[in-house]
Amino acid sequence: MASESPVSEMEVIPVDLAIRVCRQLAPDEQVVGWFQTNLTPSLQFADGLIFLTKQRLISFESEALSDSMSHVESIGEWRSWPISDIAELRLRDRAGLASIEIVGHDRLLHVWRFSSVRISQARRLLLEFERIKKLGSTDVVTTVAVSICPSCGMVMQPGESVCSECAPSAAPDTTRSLWRLTRFARPRLPIIVFGFALTLLSTAIGLVPPLLTLPLIDEVLVPRKHFEWVPWYIAGLFLTVVVAWLLSWAKTFVMATVSEQISFDLRNRIFEHLQQLSLEFFGGRRTGDLISRVSSDTERICDFLSINLVDFATDLLLIIMTAAILIWIDPMMAAITLIPFPIIGWLIQFFRNRMRQGFARGSAAWAEMVNVLADTIPGIRVVKAFAQEYREVDRFTARNAQVLYTNTRVNRLWAAFGPIISLTTEIGLLVIWAFGAYRIYHDQITFGVLQTFIFYIGRLYIRLDSMSRMLANAQRAAAATHRIFEILDRVPSVAEPIKPIQPGRLQGGIEFSNVCFRYGARQVITDVNLSIRPGEMIGVVGPSGAGKSTLVNLVCRFFDVASGSIRVDGHDIRSFPISAFRSNIGIVLQEPFLFFGSIGENIAYGRPDAKRAEIVAAARASKAHDFILRLPDGYDSIVGERGQSLSGGERQRISIARALLTDPRILILDEATSSVDTETEREIQGALDYLVQGRTTIAIAHRISTLRKADRIVVLEKGTITEIGNHEQLLELGGTYARLNRVQEQMQKEITIQEVIP
Amino acid sequence: MSRTTRSQLSRDQWGHLILTDQKGKQYDDVLVVPLFPISEPRKWISIVSADGKEIECVEDPSEFSPDTLEHLNKELMYRDFVPRITKVISVSGTTEPCEWHVQTNHGPTNFVLKAEEDIRRLSDHEVMIIDANGGRFRIDDTRQLDKRSLRFIEWYV
């Protein structure tokens, strides 16, 4: 429940403005809402303000250009309208330009315009206005309905049309995103430090060989003396090679292990977190997207940590150390050698950037092509039925051609890349040869020094290329990290109570009082009041979209009510711990979902410790035992996505057994029989009749015939209860229920006639 | 429940299994169906009439008389023919369908594996294989297999 005090509203207004506003107010006047417009009547961008008090609507409008609010007083105009003069505030939004119209009792009073970005604040103001209008005075603290974002399930602020979570955010900051990964690295710190020590060592050892060949050339080979030292030099070189090999092996292994462990932690955390998130989070998201976040994004991060990051560190160390060595040997030569470095670095970066764009375009084209597949193959029956095969082939060909085109373009660039890099590298080497030869001629350096330089530089150029690759991968890994934290940062919108009441075994009396619920901008449930006795069966009928499923979702606490309350056994359901409360509820859905596993395990899903005798008893009661007997593996038959195929009715009976086994106090039947044929329905109905005995039941049904056992039937229309009573009472009432009943009986007759006369 | 009140199984001259229930009523040609053939093959036995209706369900068959128990076990043996693979001799290829040549506790045999998911892990070291014709094979403990055999299995599980 969000009750807003005027004070908190005022806090958001800049101080200097607040002072100016206060001057406009009467002594007892209090600001209850405000809104900042951003356009003048002539559609110039300039800030304006609208204030709402209990008595008046006050506005300030700039007339001239003014980008700073500090000047407004001199060039703006204050106006005000008493609330009683205003019949209505009307909000319009057309293609980026929105407006608020003040409609008086006989004419339009005024119009403010602003860009649509501000529309959510505007809506808030309107809500406040309606509140004041309705109550006359706001002394009574009313609550503004909170709403749930339809796409991500976050709680939205009143009046917001797009929730702040879903609003497109700027591209993630690479370094900051990656930095957040350190949270997962911390527990593994010792092994990470060890890994980096290994990296440092192995890089350093890799730089030793040229330092050995330098004296070998200058002391032995060029002067042609002390040849007895050669074996020692060779042995030294061999030793460094072996040590370098061992160290780099150890380094790679250690870092790969660490990164694997980190991504293990990440995957676990995400999955754990996902399981805790409230149901509506999953509503607006594609399963595939979530799966890819858990699997491929963590994989990408793992790769980045184990390969790219280590390589990058190695490269960076190598470059720094090499530069240091070169400067130490001969500062003059080092300067000449290192000058082309930034140029080549820039060149590589430039090419890589262009190529990255090309590849991105390529993968977008690829995704488009895959979309055609994903569209067409599952819908193949429709395609064939409408004889549109050739059109689909054309569609695919067009997309495929796009893939070819984008890839050809990037290939042109890519093909040039390697040769250009080697060209510049070779030129760089030539410069060193030339300069080195000049210096040797003047006896400024020895031949050994030149050779050492050539050796080091060759290595450095290769490193530059791999470093640039790392930058691209870092960006990709950052994006993956961002996507992962998007999930981890989300707080379940159905909150655990701070001081929970243990529900234990509930009696099952349910009491709805003034229950409202909004889903996005849509008011789904409005002011529902209903009291259900323990053990009573309530049938809910109504057209689709009337809010029937939402109503039971509220009972299950998949969502929380926006205002009002649902009480079970006299306690608000929000005061129970969620899982303890839900263990009192059994649900049978329209499409029963069975997990991959045996039938026995599926029945025992809600109570994994159930004994075999209980499983068999539940299956018997739900009339599932007989068909399970006929399966080759009985209760051990594997069902679920890749398992034995069962008919809808069979699956439904298993799900009934599943609900029965948990022995719930409150039972929800959400169109449990609507996806099966009449024959199967009759069988399931028998199982259901057993299930509902002694339990508080809320049964949603399309077919009125399935509710014949209900104690009372509720007709829900547009989120409100329009009729309530038992079958006979409702028929007598002659309202919606009676009409539905008539239509369905009529249809049933027609079906029967059709069956008799084929 | 004492043994005397339990129903009896017997075999008639046609080889049909006959169930005589506690009240003396006879059912001809009954079937013996284990409810949990994989997780608990020797308990939870259902006796089903020829037309598929369950007549009786027994959690612990040891309550039956020794004669009945013998009939029951024999019937279960036929019903529950799952050779244990002790060695994989060869596999025809790495892509399904492929033919497996295996050594089992019932002797050497071949079977065709239709798809990857037909080999499934039952517990950490227990594996079940269903061949293209629905025949079953099991490995009770993969740790008992030789290295070569294990490699074939590990492609899948």
Side-chain angles (χ1 to χ4, degrees), chain A residues 212-226 229 233 329 440 445-452:
Chain A
L212 286 175
T213 51
L214 175 67
L216 179 66
I217 291 167
D218 285 347
E219 312 283 322
V220 181
L221 298 180
V222 175
R224 304 187 63 78
K225 51 189 179 186
H226 302 306
W229 293 352
Y233 279 120
I329 297 174
I440 290 177
I445 56 166
T446 61
F447 177 66
V449 171
L450 176 63
Q451 201 271 342
T452 312

Side-chain angles (χ1 to χ4, degrees), chain A residues 482-496:
Chain A
H482 179 78
R483 279 152 56 84
I484 282 171
F485 277 104
E486 230 172 58
I487 295 178
L488 287 181
D489 291 345
R490 200 165 296 261
V491 189
S493 60
V494 173
E496 286 283 355

Side-chain angles (χ1 to χ4, degrees), chain A residues 596 600 611-616 620 625-626 628-638 642-644, chain B residues 33-40 44 46 48 51-54 56-57 59 79 117 120 122 128 130 136:
Chain A
F596 180 77
K611 293 195 184 65
R612 291 208 165 80
E614 293 172 297
I615 294 173
V616 175
R620 278 224 176 86
H625 184 71
D626 283 337
I628 295 171
L629 260 182
R630 284 194 286 275
L631 296 174
D633 285 332
Y635 283 81
D636 285 331
S637 304
I638 302 291
R642 292 182 302 158
Q644 187 102 29
Chain B
V33 179
L35 292 185
F36 297 90
I38 295 167
S39 51
E40 193 147 32
W44 285 104
S46 178
V48 179
D51 57 356
K53 289 255 159 53
E54 178 176 67
E56 197 173 332
C57 182
E59 180 179 348
R79 168 99 196 169
E117 64 257 29
R120 64 174 81 105
L122 297 176
M128 173 133 184
I130 300 170
R136 280 132 212 282

Side-chain angles (χ1 to χ4, degrees), chain A residues 570-636:
Chain A
H571 297 290
D572 193 309
I573 55 172
R574 283 170 294 191
S575 57
F576 298 128
I578 296 169
S579 65
F581 172 65
R582 286 203 192 127
S583 66
N584 277 291
I585 298 182
I587 306 178
V588 179
L589 297 170
Q590 182 176 3
E591 289 292 336
F593 187 85
L594 302 183
F595 292 95
F596 180 77
S598 73
I599 289 185
E601 285 161 7
N602 264 293
I603 293 177
Y605 189 76
R607 258 184 63 204
D609 59 331
K611 293 195 184 65
R612 291 208 165 80
E614 293 172 297
I615 294 173
V616 175
R620 278 224 176 86
S622 67
K623 310 264 188 288
H625 184 71
D626 283 337
F627 82 81
I628 295 171
L629 260 182
R630 284 194 286 275
L631 296 174
D633 285 332
Y635 283 81
D636 285 331

